[in-house]
Amino acid sequence: MAEKEGGVVAKGHEEGLKMAISLLEEFGLPLGLLPLADVIEVGFVSSTGYMWIVQKKKVEHNFKMPSKLVSYGTDITGYVSKKQIKKLKGVLKAKELMLWPPVN
């Protein structure tokens, strides 16, 4: 893939997890934003901000605030910059329950 050209790659769960955490810290993103399991590869291209994460299986995570169940696929990609991720792909579904009580 042309997007990955010139990227730094960490292979294996331990090294990939370290790199993912360091990217989140570097760009001021919450550390729990990308719950990862069985990481195969994490990569980052500093010139474009393109990052990718490959996992063995999809991961479901329930965020407490706000209460939301999110499923992450095996391939997660996006462009990171200060305090944001653009064009994020690999988030399969996000379920949110909203209740609208009647007000009198």
Side-chain angles (χ1 to χ4, degrees):
M1 257 188 172
E3 294 162 321
K4 293 182 180 182
E5 276 183 35
V8 177
V9 178
K11 295 204 179 258
H13 181 72
E14 215 168 286
E15 292 302 312
L17 200 55
K18 283 181 190 173
M19 184 173 184
I21 289 170
S22 108
L23 284 171
L24 291 173
E25 286 176 340
E26 181 181 338
F27 291 100
L29 297 164
L31 297 182
L33 184 63
L34 299 171
L36 305 172
D38 296 325
V39 175
I40 297 170
E41 178 180 289
V42 174
F44 178 67
V45 181
S46 60
S47 61
T48 61
Y50 182 76
M51 62 143 233
W52 68 93
I53 299 169
V54 181
Q55 309 183 90
K56 288 182 184 175
K57 60 183 180 182
K58 73 176 190 168
V59 174
E60 284 195 346
H61 182 74
N62 193 15
F63 288 96
K64 289 180 173 48
M65 289 294 291
S67 182
K68 187 180 276 197
L69 179 66
V70 180
S71 292
Y72 296 87
T74 55
D75 295 316
I76 302 166
T77 63
Y79 291 86
V80 291
S81 57
K82 199 70 177 162
K83 298 193 179 193
Q84 66 181 351
I85 300 178
K86 293 181 180 177
K87 298 183 182 177
L88 181 64
K89 293 180 183 171
V91 178
L92 302 176
K93 63 182 175 181
K95 292 181 181 175
E96 187 171 357
L97 176 64
M98 297 182 77
L99 298 174
W100 293 92
V103 178
N104 291 329

